Amino acid sequence: MKPISTITVASELPDALAPLRDLALNLRWSWRRQTVDLFRSLDPQAFVDSGENPFAMLPMVPAGRLAEAARDESFLTRMRSEVRDLRTYLDSGRWFQRTVPGEQGTGQGSSIAYFSMEFGITPTLPIYSGGLGILAGDHLKSASDLGVPLTAIGLLYQWGYFSQSLDRSGWQQEEYRLNDPADLPVEPVLEQDGTQLTVRVTLPGGRDVAIAVWKAQVGRVALLLLDTNVEGNDESARQITDRLYGGDHEHRIVQEIVLGIGGVRAVQEYARVTGGPAPTVFHLNEGHAGFSGLERVGRLIEAGAGFSEAVAEVRAGTVFTTHTPVPAGIDRFDASQLRGYLDADEKGLSRLIPSLPVEAALALGIEEGGDIFNMAQLGFRIAQRSNGVAKLHGAVSRAMFQNLYPGFDVPEVPIGSVTNGVHRRTWTSAHMDDLYKKALGDIDISSMSDWSALSALTDHELTSTRDALRADLVAMARKHVKDSWLRRGADEAELAWTDHILDPGVLTIGFARRVSTYKRLTLMLSDSERLKRILLDEERPVQIVVAGKSHPADRPGKEFLQQLVQFADDHGVRHRIVFLPDYDIRMASVLIAGADVWLNNPVRPEEASGTSGMKAVLNGGLTFSISDGWWDEMKDDAAGWTIPTADVADQVERDRIEAGALYEILEQEIAPLFYERDARGMQRGWMTKVRSSLVRIAPQITAARMVRDYVTDLYLPAARASGAFAADPALAGAFTEWKARVGQVWSQIAVRDVRLEGTTGDRVATGAEVTLSAEVDLAGLADEDVLVEAVLGEVADGDEIIDPQLIPLRRGDDGRFAARFALAAPGRVGFTVRVTPQHPVLSSRAELGLVTTA
């Protein structure tokens, strides 16, 4: 019999349990075990049925159980303790307050706005796809732990990213699940009259799109989530925030308009309705939010600034982080598409961003010699400070974008680096966290740089912990493989073998990340027969657990994934290598903790940073990686293994050589060390390496270290620069006038008659002092407008100065610019003299792309 209608029956919290809702709505529970344990103890079955979502489980708990808990003094005591702990966490001064209380524009009276297309905080808020989102989520958690005054802005996707399954042939299948805000740990941001805060953007044709603003509370950090699925919007507008990384270029553009332009409007309005500080620093996590800079430029122009002055002021307070080392990873659009969306009126001003001159704005992102608008180029042009996400990635980025700074060598391109990190409390398993507490005490060690106390952990303690984590991984993998085969069409009666795959006592390698070609998921299959021999070795067997999704439009990535799955389906090895579909945060937390070794074999240098291996390190896993991303700067033979990079141009040959090295290290070094036992059966050599990794690598890879680096190296300088413009309204105009004057005469600046005195012919004794001088025509500029410096260094092939030393030259009484210095190192030294602009507002000598050399 079919019902004529349906209703939802939901329990209501008794007054005594009302604090549970506040605990559930603050996502700090995602990294605090005690709070999660409290909700689990309330109703274990409801906790599981809700997907371990404290907010969604509360209406699912039977009324009788809620009434019982409301009378249970033991439960109430635990609940009150968690509420007190949360309040203390939210109200107490933390690292930021202790470290920078007096910094102008960076204390309690200001804020950083952090924009990202995705945030991976917990699987119960499914608005992430992979590494970029997980990194953003860890950034928020650590900013909260450190007390950094940060507000985040993202999108509330109706369908999020896809859930992954496999068909019988191992081909990836995508399925999307609806995100109902009523089931998510989010709340509407309310106006004073109780209505939901809404901002608007106007798309071409006068289409007015309303954007509702929701909030997820991540500890001390508010994450504002923008939603166009609003009553009153047309169907097309309602679909703007439908899926993460779905749709075509047009769909991506409107999503980025909502994130960037709508995000600036939302964060400003949020400050108004809450009485909080308006942001002084804007951090763009990738180029997706680049339009936020254009919105801010338009606002300043509306307030009376000229375009150049507005750009200068916006740049001063903007930080841009690039995450891709390859051009294919950058959003690039036809400029004609963006002209359509910026929608110029008869005066050439945008209808989307009032007062913004369209062609001048487009010039910030259009690639030279073409009609392509590059979102990364916009990021660099609209932000005065920028960075890659590892030291090697910073170097790669400087080479990629050197053309934006003509006349400067790659090392001087003003793109720095802040190496990614991971949030320790989120990614450290309960078993391992107990060892941290035993060795270091029940404190947050993320801000500590000395973890040497972990070297006191015994072989027995580490072995029992690692064995337990590996067993948890095996149990999870067996369940997921069985469930996957049922979805692939197998009958349960033929799946008894899945109860026996993997072995809790066997060396376990983990490999899990987004499946794209450069990450080389199938490098391990290069010699499949050799891999089989390694997996099936009777004395030293190896097992591999693999997970990861390929973007729905990435056919080569899907083909790589299918190859791996088909190999893992082989009856002869399926007990030793498995693929786990639908990789997410919950699966990752078990996989990264249970793997003895974390494998990473991208094409160097195409991995920007990578963070999955960092999470394994925190749990006592060892690193086995190409020297790329974060491992390139932290690699340590005492804490892991490095796969050599083949210096050959042909990629097929390079894969063959590097795969051979991978097999060799695995067979000759990793497996023998893992199975080596002393007379008491202890893995002394292996555990020595684990301790080295925990002491030497782990302190460097925390997101707390990463966020501190952002604060000291980028946020504080940006806040000071932004504060200077706010304190002196005439500064933007004066700087713009100065820049125009410098640019107008720069071609007339000349360096002549360079002299090196104190030499004998073309030789000079090591350590002897010399004087370098030059006549410099500044074309009417003042000495303080420029920096005149000597450039000295070893001369390499092609007569290029490498690793130059820069020595400022000062004007002497004779009118020449000169400096006296010693040449300490022997060898062939080249020298020249150059002139670059100099102004207090500039953050880099290369910023204007102006340089004159002798």
Side-chain angles (χ1 to χ4, degrees):
M1 187 177 298
K2 294 183 178 181
I4 59 171
S5 185
T6 61
I7 59 171
T8 299
V9 180
S11 299
E12 293 188 2
L13 285 176
D15 290 344
L17 299 183
L20 287 176
R21 188 173 186 277
D22 294 331
L23 288 173
L25 276 171
N26 192 310
L27 295 177
R28 186 191 178 220
W29 59 255
S30 67
W31 70 93
R32 181 169 169 83
R33 260 200 288 165
Q34 296 91 325
T35 309
V36 172
D37 290 344
L38 175 72
F39 282 102
R40 184 184 287 110
S41 69
L42 178 63
D43 188 328
Q45 190 58 51
F47 186 75
V48 171
D49 292 345
S50 69
E52 301 184 0
N53 180 346
F55 181 74
M57 74 166 280
L58 291 177
M60 300 168 64
V61 179
R65 172 58 189 138
L66 291 176
E68 179 185 351
R71 297 190 300 269
D72 184 345
E73 196 55 43
S74 174
F75 182 85
L76 293 175
T77 298
R78 290 174 62 200
M79 179 188 72
R80 293 175 191 133
S81 175
E82 285 305 297
V83 170
R84 284 195 301 271
D85 184 86
L86 178 60
R87 287 175 179 164
T88 299
Y89 175 87
L90 296 176
D91 297 338
S92 62
R94 306 188 74 79
W95 171 84
F96 187 91
Q97 287 70 35
R98 295 191 300 269
T99 305
V100 288
E103 288 279 356
Q104 180 183 359
T106 60
Q108 294 299 296
S110 69
S111 171
I112 297 117
Y114 180 91
F115 290 74
S116 184
M117 200 72 163
E118 50 175 305
F119 289 91
I121 298 161
T122 162
T124 64
L125 186 60
I127 56 171
Y128 65 95
S129 70
L132 181 72
I134 302 299
L135 181 279
D138 283 4
H139 193 109
L140 301 197
K141 293 173 183 179
S142 290
S144 173
D145 289 342
L146 295 170
V148 179
L150 185 146
T151 302
I153 303 95
L155 301 182
L156 184 63
Y157 299 100
Q158 299 164 40
W159 300 92
Y161 203 53
F162 68 89
S163 298
Q164 178 197 50
S165 60
L166 304 172
D167 68 12
R168 194 75 187 211
S169 72
W171 190 255
Q172 175 178 288
Q173 305 294 299
E174 294 97 26
E175 177 184 344
Y176 290 86
R177 299 169 186 166
L178 181 65
N179 290 333
D180 185 347
D183 296 328
L184 301 178
V186 299
E187 288 185 298
V189 176
L190 301 179
E191 289 274 14
Q192 280 84 354
D193 62 3
T195 60
Q196 185 168 13
L197 175 64
T198 302
V199 296
R200 296 178 179 276
V201 296
T202 303
L203 297 181
R207 292 176 59 217
D208 188 47
V209 177
I211 305 168
V213 184
W214 301 79
K215 181 183 75 168
Q217 193 66 38
V218 186
R220 299 163 68 109
V221 171
L223 167 57
L224 306 183
L225 296 171
L226 312 180
D227 175 20
T228 64
N229 188 23
V230 174
E231 187 175 348
N233 282 343
D234 61 42
E235 190 59 29
S236 176
R238 297 186 76 148
Q239 296 303 315
I240 291 174
T241 54
D242 59 352
R243 298 180 182 184
L244 175 59
Y245 302 141
D248 55 15
H249 273 193
E250 295 281 349
H251 190 256
R252 177 65 70 89
I253 288 172
V254 292
Q255 279 194 337
E256 295 185 5
I257 285 172
V258 169
L259 175 65
I261 299 171
V264 170
R265 296 173 185 179
V267 76
Q268 298 286 357
E269 289 298 291
Y270 178 73
R272 176 185 61 79
V273 300
T274 61
T280 53
V281 174
F282 289 73
H283 183 179
L284 314 184
N285 189 42
E286 252 310 341
H288 308 125
F291 296 134
S292 65
L294 301 185
E295 165 70 7
R296 291 160 57 214
V297 168
R299 284 172 170 248
L300 289 173
I301 294 174
E302 273 199 300
F307 178 78
S308 296
E309 290 91 338
V311 169
E313 186 166 345
V314 167
R315 278 175 51 78
T318 306
V319 173
F320 171 56
T321 299
T322 176
H323 285 265
T324 178
V326 291
I330 297 170
D331 276 351
R332 300 166 73 241
F333 306 120
D334 287 338
S336 58
Q337 288 180 295
L338 291 188
R339 281 191 182 89
Y341 282 101
L342 291 175
D343 194 16
D345 61 17
E346 62 278 0
K347 296 180 180 179
L349 303 180
S350 173
R351 294 184 178 90
L352 174 63
I353 303 174
S355 301
L356 182 74
V358 170
E359 292 306 316
L362 287 173
L364 295 172
I366 291 182
E367 296 176 0
E368 185 177 357
D371 197 33
I372 298 297
F373 191 89
N374 185 310
M375 293 299 289
Q377 182 167 315
L378 173 63
F380 289 117
R381 290 298 194 210
I382 209 69
Q384 193 173 42
R385 292 163 180 83
S386 58
N387 67 284
V389 290
K391 288 182 179 177
L392 178 60
H393 180 229
V396 170
S397 298
R398 287 190 286 274
M400 278 180 65
F401 296 101
Q402 183 187 16
N403 66 307
L404 300 182
Y405 308 92
F408 289 88
D409 292 336
V410 169
E412 288 192 285
V413 170
I415 302 173
S417 65
V418 175
T419 302
N420 283 347
V422 295
H423 187 250
R424 190 194 74 80
R425 288 198 182 275
T426 294
W427 295 108
T428 303
S429 62
H431 290 296
M432 199 68 200
D433 195 42
D434 288 340
L435 290 189
Y436 281 100
K437 290 177 181 177
K438 181 178 185 298
L440 296 159
D442 190 13
I443 59 174
D444 185 2
I445 65 171
S446 297
S447 296
M448 296 168 52
S449 58
D450 181 5
W451 292 17
S452 57
L454 295 176
S455 61
L457 294 173
T458 67
D459 291 344
H460 176 74
E461 289 168 332
L462 287 171
T463 297
S464 61
T465 296
R466 293 296 316 147
D467 287 348
L469 293 174
R470 195 183 312 108
D472 289 345
L473 170 56
V474 168
M476 181 197 72
R478 288 173 177 174
K479 180 181 185 306
H480 277 270
V481 170
K482 183 173 185 178
D483 291 346
S484 174
W485 272 104
L486 290 171
R487 294 190 69 180
R488 293 171 72 180
D491 191 281
E492 186 160 4
E494 59 181 319
L495 295 178
W497 61 272
T498 61
D499 295 332
H500 308 286
I501 60 173
L502 305 181
D503 184 328
V506 166
L507 169 62
T508 303
I509 295 177
F511 184 106
R513 53 189 48 83
R514 180 169 54 88
V515 182
S516 55
T517 51
Y518 78 88
K519 292 179 183 286
R520 297 194 296 188
L521 168 67
T522 56
L523 187 68
M524 66 180 76
L525 305 182
S526 297
D527 184 342
S528 58
E529 291 305 313
R530 187 172 182 182
L531 178 60
K532 286 181 180 180
R533 290 196 300 272
I534 293 171
L535 296 173
L536 302 176
D537 188 290
E538 292 186 4
E539 295 184 359
R540 298 186 297 225
V542 175
Q543 58 195 18
I544 305 176
V545 182
V546 182
K549 297 177 178 179
S550 184
H551 187 280
D554 182 5
R555 185 170 184 86
K558 288 184 176 181
E559 290 171 349
F560 274 27
L561 194 153
Q562 185 181 44
Q563 291 172 34
L564 189 285
V565 171
Q566 290 177 344
F567 179 84
D569 286 350
D570 187 302
H571 284 245
V573 296
R574 65 187 183 184
H575 63 301
R576 286 282 183 258
I577 181 169
V578 299
F579 178 81
L580 308 182
D582 210 20
Y583 188 52
D584 67 359
I585 290 174
R586 188 174 291 114
M587 181 188 291
S589 65
V590 179
L591 205 169
I592 56 99
D596 298 298
V597 174
W598 198 261
L599 176 62
N600 184 40
N601 49 231
V603 177
R604 186 182 194 270
E606 296 185 15
E607 180 77 88
S609 177
T611 56
S612 56
M614 294 177 173
K615 298 159 192 161
V617 167
L618 291 176
N619 288 280
L622 297 177
T623 305
F624 182 29
S625 178
I626 289 284
S627 185
D628 199 10
W630 72 273
W631 185 246
D632 181 74
E633 68 197 70
M634 300 183 195
K635 58 181 179 289
D636 187 332
D637 290 343
W641 298 268
T642 302
I643 303 167
T645 298
D647 187 17
V648 294
D650 181 76
Q651 188 58 52
V652 173
E653 179 65 5
R654 182 176 179 178
D655 288 350
R656 185 191 67 79
I657 295 172
E658 293 179 5
L662 186 158
Y663 297 137
E664 185 73 14
I665 295 170
L666 186 52
E667 289 175 314
Q668 302 302 319
E669 298 183 40
I670 297 178
L673 185 64
F674 181 85
Y675 287 104
E676 180 184 281
R677 302 289 195 276
D678 68 6
R680 297 173 56 199
M682 290 287 102
Q683 297 171 283
R684 297 215 177 275
W686 188 269
M687 294 308 163
T688 296
K689 213 170 181 77
V690 168
R691 278 187 289 269
S692 293
S693 178
L694 289 172
V695 170
R696 297 163 72 156
I697 305 298
Q700 303 180 67
I701 59 174
T702 66
R705 185 273 309 151
M706 173 188 73
V707 173
R708 290 197 307 272
D709 288 349
Y710 273 108
V711 169
T712 56
D713 297 346
L714 296 167
Y715 293 166
L716 295 184
R720 285 190 287 267
S722 178
F725 279 101
D728 182 2
L731 179 59
F735 173 67
T736 300
E737 180 183 335
W738 173 87
K739 190 164 61 170
R741 179 166 51 86
V742 169
Q744 186 175 12
V745 303
W746 195 262
S747 61
Q748 303 169 39
I749 290 177
V751 179
R752 307 185 186 94
D753 191 24
V754 178
R755 303 175 190 171
L756 185 65
E757 299 171 346
T759 67
T760 303
D762 63 351
R763 301 180 69 84
V764 63
T766 302
E769 288 195 336
V770 296
T771 299
L772 183 67
S773 67
E775 178 185 328
V776 182
D777 182 352
L778 294 182
L781 296 180
D783 287 3
E784 58 267 25
D785 292 330
V786 300
L787 177 62
V788 182
E789 54 195 349
V791 183
L792 300 96
E794 179 186 349
V795 177
D797 294 340
D799 287 336
E800 289 285 334
I801 296 175
I802 60 173
D803 296 327
Q805 178 186 5
L806 304 176
I807 300 173
L809 305 184
R810 307 298 182 198
R811 189 189 293 273
D813 293 339
D814 60 357
R816 294 174 63 83
F817 284 81
R820 186 169 179 80
F821 50 87
L823 295 172
R828 183 170 173 243
V829 176
F831 63 90
T832 188
V833 173
R834 75 173 185 183
V835 186
T836 54
Q838 180 173 254
H839 191 280
V841 170
L842 297 177
S843 64
S844 162
R845 57 169 55 87
E847 190 172 321
L848 301 184
L850 298 176
V851 60
T852 296
T853 56

